[in-house]
Amino acid sequence: MSENNEISKNLNDRTTWEGCSVLLDINDGDRLVFARLSNAAKLKIGNKNYSLQPLIGCAFGSIFQAESGPQGPFLSHSLPSIQGNDKTEEVKEGQVNDEPRDNRALIDNNTAQSLTGDDIEAMRREGARGNEIIEALIANSATFETKTSFSQEKYRLKKQKKYAPKVLIRRPVARSICEAYFKKYPTKIGFLRVDTLSLLLSLANVSSSSDVLVVDMVGGLITGAVAERLGGTGFVCNSYLGKSPHSMDIVRIFNFSDDICKRILRSPISDLLSQKELPEQVLEHADVCNLESQSNEQICASVSIEKISLSSENGISDLGAKNTENTNVPGKRVCKAAKAGEKSPPEVIDSWKENGFSSLIIAAPESDTWTLVKDLLPLLSNSAPFAIYHQYLQPLATCMHNLQIGNMAIGLQITEPWLREYQVLPSRTHPCMQMSAFGGYILSGTKICDS
């Protein structure tokens, strides 16, 4: 009992612990890697493997720098240099006021750098740190002093990413997980963007002590985001057609405590509709959806196996693959994530049937939207909100039309989220050159009492 209390206490801390999941941000978003911290876990950067043991016990938001020493590569804790930023600003002001520069006379012929690759390797063998190599490259560059301040900053950043890569420890929450998957594996989450996810939760009025009915076919991202917002109160019912539930791999990344995991339940739609109205559509589409869910799980399993081998190229490593590497190491206490998604007890299902769910969220790009809404909407309590996400407009338009004809809901509207990301830098604040122009569509409304 005391051990469980200690684990629950650690889960609320702002520092990492052995067995927790983290999102490693390498070089300001160039690579995003999910990892489970342990003494045997390793991170591959370039052609070198770095142990993640120094990251255990550090605060989320800490920055580490990849270094090489006599005993091999390692990650050292790094602090942001405030003095260096002040000097850079002073140089910029002096350059702008006294000596304006431009890059018109620069010719890229690979002769400006006098330091060769052999010289750099010799410095590494002598124990030179990454910052020392960068300063040596700058000192031996014939064109560095003639560049503008912006070009100098870009040159320094480029060399820092190559010779002194930095690793930022990010807490895996709904926003960071959604951003990471949307950047590298958008198909697994149905191209669900982070602003669309937040709007989906708001339109469904997910709040404390709510009982939320979820149809999650995007890897468990919706289920985890709802459970995170509930904070251990209420219930999240992940429903599915057929006998095979959909994959919830992403839920394991959230570092949920046992109390929150107990609030995440699974139940087939047939159990929720029993002794009420059991539409024939559920039986008709059960076999089809069963095959779909099995194919989805096979795809997720293949992605999980391939992720660890492609982590150096694509940037995201799967937690399940990480665990397989560490199973042969004895003495692990908290390396296994809490299990979420147990089958709903009969008494809880009876309570849902009697009182109804407080809201409904559907994110099922591979299923017929109207069929799901027609079956699940009677399970909601009166005046309960619902929100449905789909990558395309037509399925939601058809569903909205049928709801209007059947007088099943009011306040129906289809929303298209819009997001613009800005680069905020001195004298260079402007919209980013590359950003997502499409975030899917959301159909929202409020269920009304049957006449």
Side-chain angles (χ1 to χ4, degrees):
M1 186 67 181
S2 60
E3 184 177 358
N4 294 332
N5 294 335
E6 181 182 356
I7 296 175
S8 300
K9 183 179 179 181
N10 290 335
L11 291 173
N12 297 325
D13 290 341
R14 297 182 179 180
T15 59
T16 62
W17 64 94
E18 184 177 359
C20 77
S21 303
V22 294
L23 175 59
L24 302 180
D25 188 336
I26 304 174
N27 286 334
D28 296 331
D30 285 356
R31 279 184 61 200
L32 297 172
V33 180
F34 288 111
R36 192 174 297 281
L37 297 184
S38 66
N39 294 327
K42 295 185 180 297
L43 172 66
K44 187 173 184 180
I45 302 178
N47 57 354
K48 297 180 180 179
N49 292 321
Y50 297 85
S51 174
L52 297 182
Q53 193 275 335
L55 277 62
I56 301 176
C58 297
F60 286 102
S62 301
I63 300 176
F64 286 79
Q65 184 169 312
E67 301 287 353
S68 297
Q71 299 180 355
F74 65 95
L75 296 175
S76 63
H77 197 275
S78 176
L79 296 176
S81 57
I82 301 178
Q83 296 180 353
N85 295 335
D86 295 340
K87 292 180 181 179
T88 304
E89 294 296 333
E90 294 176 0
V91 172
K92 289 180 182 178
E93 294 178 359
Q95 289 175 351
V96 172
N97 297 331
D98 299 335
E99 189 180 354
R101 301 176 183 179
D102 55 53
N103 300 331
R104 288 179 294 179
L106 298 181
I107 301 176
D108 189 10
N109 53 8
N110 295 329
T111 59
Q113 182 58 249
S114 59
L115 201 64
T116 63
D118 296 336
D119 298 334
I120 296 175
E121 290 298 329
M123 294 178 62
R124 285 178 170 175
R125 287 193 296 268
E126 294 175 0
R129 301 174 66 89
N131 294 332
E132 297 175 357
I133 295 177
I134 296 173
E135 295 299 329
L137 289 171
I138 293 175
N140 289 273
S141 176
T143 59
F144 182 80
E145 295 298 331
T146 60
K147 295 181 178 181
T148 63
S149 59
F150 297 148
S151 298
Q152 290 179 356
E153 184 179 353
K154 290 175 65 177
Y155 179 87
R156 186 184 295 273
L157 181 61
K158 181 180 178 181
K159 299 304 178 183
Q160 178 264 319
K161 290 182 178 180
K162 183 176 181 180
Y163 296 103
K166 293 184 178 180
V167 179
L168 171 65
I169 307 177
R170 295 180 60 184
R171 186 189 298 272
V173 295
R175 174 173 180 172
S176 60
I177 294 174
C178 184
E179 289 175 343
Y181 272 92
F182 186 81
K183 183 176 181 180
K184 292 298 180 182
Y185 296 102
T187 55
K188 187 174 182 180
I189 60 172
F191 295 89
L192 183 64
R193 209 168 54 190
V194 61
D195 61 313
T196 309
L197 175 61
S198 61
L199 183 60
L200 199 63
L201 298 178
S202 298
L203 292 176
N205 194 27
V206 178
S207 57
S208 177
S209 302
S210 300
D211 291 340
V212 184
L213 179 60
V214 174
V215 180
D216 187 351
M217 296 179 63
V218 291
L221 178 61
I222 299 293
T223 304
V226 172
E228 182 183 71
R229 178 166 290 195
L230 293 180
T233 62
F235 285 97
V236 184
C237 178
N238 189 322
S239 59
Y240 52 92
L241 287 170
K243 298 181 180 180
S244 299
H246 306 298
S247 173
M248 290 174 51
D249 293 339
I250 299 180
V251 176
R252 296 181 298 148
I253 309 178
F254 278 86
N255 291 326
F256 285 146
S257 63
D258 293 338
D259 295 336
I260 297 180
C261 289
K262 292 177 182 178
R263 299 288 178 169
I264 303 176
L265 302 176
R266 277 176 168 171
S267 177
I269 297 179
S270 58
D271 291 351
L272 297 176
L273 295 175
S274 61
Q275 297 179 359
K276 270 197 162 188
E277 294 181 358
L278 183 58
E280 296 179 357
Q281 291 84 351
V282 177
L283 301 177
E284 293 176 358
H285 296 283
D287 296 334
V288 178
C289 295
N290 189 12
L291 294 176
E292 289 181 357
S293 60
Q294 290 178 358
S295 62
N296 292 335
E297 291 191 352
Q298 291 176 358
I299 293 174
C300 294
S302 62
V303 170
S304 301
I305 296 174
E306 292 174 1
K307 277 182 185 178
I308 188 65
S309 60
L310 299 177
S311 59
S312 60
E313 299 176 2
N314 296 334
I316 296 185
S317 59
D318 185 68
L319 294 177
K322 282 285 183 182
N323 289 338
T324 57
E325 294 182 355
N326 301 333
T327 52
N328 57 352
V329 181
K332 295 294 177 290
R333 184 172 62 90
V334 202
C335 284
K336 192 173 182 180
K339 187 177 181 180
E342 297 291 341
K343 189 174 181 180
S344 302
E347 58 272 12
V348 177
I349 295 180
D350 294 339
S351 175
W352 290 335
K353 292 178 182 179
E354 180 180 357
N355 301 319
F357 289 93
S358 56
S359 58
L360 168 65
I361 299 178
I362 298 177
E366 300 178 5
S367 297
D368 183 63
T369 304
W370 168 239
T371 302
L372 290 173
V373 173
K374 181 174 58 175
D375 296 342
L376 296 179
L377 203 61
L379 297 175
L380 299 182
S381 60
N382 295 330
S383 301
F386 60 89
I388 308 164
Y389 166 79
H390 204 283
Q391 182 183 356
Y392 303 110
L393 176 62
Q394 186 57 42
L396 298 183
T398 303
C399 181
M400 180 178 180
H401 177 70
N402 293 332
L403 289 174
Q404 290 175 337
I405 294 177
N407 294 325
M408 302 173 65
I410 60 173
L412 294 172
Q413 62 177 358
I414 296 180
T415 307
E416 181 182 3
W418 189 79
L419 176 68
R420 170 171 285 179
E421 186 178 357
Y422 276 80
Q423 169 186 290
V424 181
L425 291 173
S427 303
R428 290 165 290 170
T429 298
H430 57 76
C432 292
M433 300 301 179
Q434 295 180 351
M435 52 186 163
S436 173
F438 177 73
Y441 301 92
I442 298 177
L443 170 62
S444 60
T446 303
K447 185 220 172 184
I448 59 177
C449 180
D450 297 334
S451 57

